[in-house]
Amino acid sequence: MPSISNFCTIMRMACEDWSLGYDQSNRWDIRDGGECDCSSLVIWALRAAGFDVGTASYTGDLSDNLTARGWKRLAFSITDVRAGDILLNDNYHVCAVISGSGTGATIAQASIDERGRITGGASGDQTGGETNTRKVYTYSRGWNCILRYVGGGDSGTGTLDVDGHIGPATITEWQKQLGTPTDGIVSGQAKPYAKWYPRLTSVAYDGGGSTLMQAVQRKVGVTPQSGVIARGTVCMLQGWLVLHGYDVGSDSAGMLHDGTAKALQRSLNDGAWL
């Protein structure tokens, strides 16, 4: 089943955890120590996350193939981007939004080789920036569009993958069940508290709290309801999940890791938050 959450995680892994270089002549050698270019990386990550990409092979045919398979082509506005989006210039470049939203979003991309060229360099990331993550930006030649998944699978419209990654689809389903606005993002959070929820990947750190988190805090018994997630909220969430029959595994109290994330996804699949 296709998963936007997995797509974001895979792109982050390739660009942050791996030593993945850039080379248009060896663009499908995608592995730790290998090489890619901007479009081969995005296409490979989509396939790895379960998406049908048709015959897509480069920036020029990506839009046609994806819009025929559950993606929507939207006009680009940097304030509209959100995790899971693909930013595309049909002729020159493509990247993926892997977390956050608007001007606070983070993208992952393959950029250029260690000599500032498109081919001929050594395998692997020689500079730490041949593939990279960074704050979202407006491409110098312009983004022609945002490609956004609106189809089935882990898109917030059907059964969630129980994969332990709380991305846009899981957040959207949570928002739907609690009756808050649905945008797939937990907004208004405080960056210092992010250490308590490493499996939450669709977050905006702009202060002020989140209406979704206020609703969650009311549901699980947190007082007052600030809408900001910290250790206390995670502890109460874990207690609520266990009370309702969802095992959080070996997660430490107050740490939203794999077990708690999967328990949350199972509870959402069961409609437990309605």
Side-chain angles (χ1 to χ4, degrees):
M1 182 179 292
S3 170
I4 285 291
S5 299
N6 286 351
F7 172 56
C8 294
T9 298
I10 291 164
M11 285 292 296
R12 184 187 295 276
M13 174 190 70
C15 294
E16 287 188 348
D17 299 338
W18 287 2
S19 175
L20 180 62
Y22 185 101
D23 194 315
Q24 288 189 7
S25 297
N26 192 33
R27 59 197 291 262
W28 294 107
D29 183 23
I30 303 175
R31 56 181 174 84
D32 193 3
E35 297 177 298
C36 66
D37 69 3
C38 64
S39 57
S40 69
L41 176 60
V42 169
I43 293 166
W44 168 84
L46 286 168
R47 286 186 181 130
F51 290 92
D52 179 4
V53 298
T55 59
S57 61
Y58 76 116
T59 55
D61 63 9
L62 189 59
S63 180
D64 285 348
N65 276 280
L66 293 189
T67 54
R69 293 168 173 83
W71 295 75
K72 186 173 183 179
R73 185 178 174 108
L74 306 170
F76 172 75
S77 169
I78 199 166
T79 59
D80 291 341
V81 302
R82 67 191 195 198
D85 285 350
I86 293 170
L87 308 185
L88 177 67
N89 179 298
D90 296 285
N91 296 315
Y92 296 107
H93 193 42
V94 63
C95 69
V97 182
I98 59 170
S99 67
S101 64
T103 56
T106 297
I107 62 97
Q109 64 182 355
S111 293
I112 201 70
D113 82 3
E114 69 270 24
R115 303 172 303 162
R117 299 178 183 177
I118 62 173
T119 190
S123 293
D125 190 346
Q126 305 301 310
T127 65
E130 293 187 51
T131 52
N132 60 82
T133 61
R134 55 166 290 182
K135 185 177 179 181
V136 69
Y137 64 98
T138 300
Y139 181 50
S140 60
R141 292 176 170 175
W143 298 118
N144 295 132
C145 68
I146 296 170
L147 293 173
R148 179 170 295 161
Y149 188 60
V150 294
D154 184 12
S155 64
T157 60
T159 301
L160 297 170
D161 286 342
V162 180
D163 59 9
H165 296 279
I166 304 176
T170 300
I171 297 303
T172 297
E173 185 61 24
W174 213 0
Q175 289 168 328
K176 287 178 180 178
Q177 293 194 24
L178 286 171
T180 64
T182 55
D183 61 1
I185 302 160
V186 179
S187 59
Q189 298 308 297
K191 188 71 171 178
Y193 299 143
K195 62 184 179 181
W196 300 114
Y197 44 87
R199 282 298 188 269
L200 179 58
T201 59
S202 185
V203 189
Y205 300 104
D206 48 13
S210 156
T211 55
L212 169 62
M213 282 302 115
Q214 287 175 333
V216 169
Q217 288 167 336
R218 282 193 296 272
K219 189 87 167 179
V220 304
V222 175
T223 303
Q225 292 94 39
S226 66
V228 175
I229 313 167
R231 185 181 182 186
T233 296
V234 178
C235 282
M236 294 296 283
L237 169 63
Q238 290 171 321
W240 187 94
L241 288 166
V242 171
L243 181 64
H244 289 78
Y246 299 97
D247 182 10
V248 300
S250 60
D251 284 7
S252 302
M255 178 63 74
L256 202 168
H257 217 280
D258 190 66
T260 303
K262 288 180 177 178
L264 172 61
Q265 289 169 324
R266 287 192 292 269
S267 73
L268 289 166
N269 282 338
D270 291 343
W273 294 84
L274 292 168

